[in-house]
């Protein structure tokens, strides 16, 4: 689970956004299992790593998630993405 800006983000085969009050805001189907919690950068973009080898960037548009980009990595991600210095995105992969 990730808490950011009054919202909580969690999921397994879909990413769910929940308001600070606990009300559902949106659900974004992922098509594969998350391999760790999402990450968020200073611009508010969400990053998720999936067991099928994809890394997705999403924007929380309030009532829905909007895809920004999708990237396939090999070997598949093995852990949660991390936003590093300068906004660099790191995704662990491999065994």
């Amino acid at each position: 689970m990730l808490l950011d800006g009054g919202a909580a983000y969690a999921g397994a085969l879909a990413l769910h956004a929940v308001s600070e009050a606990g009300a559902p805001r949106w659900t974004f189907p992922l098509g594969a299992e998350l391999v760790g919690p999402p990450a968020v950068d200073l611009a508010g973009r969400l990053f998720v790593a999936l067991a099928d080898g994809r890394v997705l960037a999403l924007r929380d548009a309030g009532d829905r998630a909007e895809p920004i980009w999708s990237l396939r990595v090999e070997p598949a991600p093995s852990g949660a993405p991390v936003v590093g210095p300068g906004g660099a995105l790191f995704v662990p992969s491999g065994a």
Side-chain angles (χ1 to χ4, degrees), residues 32-38 47-57 69-82 89-95:
E33 191 170 351
L34 284 165
V35 294
F47 301 97
V48 295
L50 304 174
D52 69 357
R54 291 179 295 140
V55 178
L56 306 177
W69 54 256
S70 174
L71 175 70
R72 186 161 300 276
V73 296
E74 290 190 27
S78 59
V82 175
L89 182 65
F90 298 92
V91 181
S93 65

Side-chain angles (χ1 to χ4, degrees), residues 3-59:
L3 300 173
D4 181 64
Y9 304 96
L13 293 172
L15 188 63
H16 306 280
V18 180
S19 73
E20 212 171 72
R25 292 181 43 216
W26 50 257
T27 295
F28 186 85
L30 298 169
E33 191 170 351
L34 284 165
V35 294
V40 65
D41 68 7
L42 293 176
R45 293 174 294 209
L46 297 162
F47 301 97
V48 295
L50 304 174
D52 69 357
R54 291 179 295 140
V55 178
L56 306 177
L58 306 168
R59 185 175 81 82

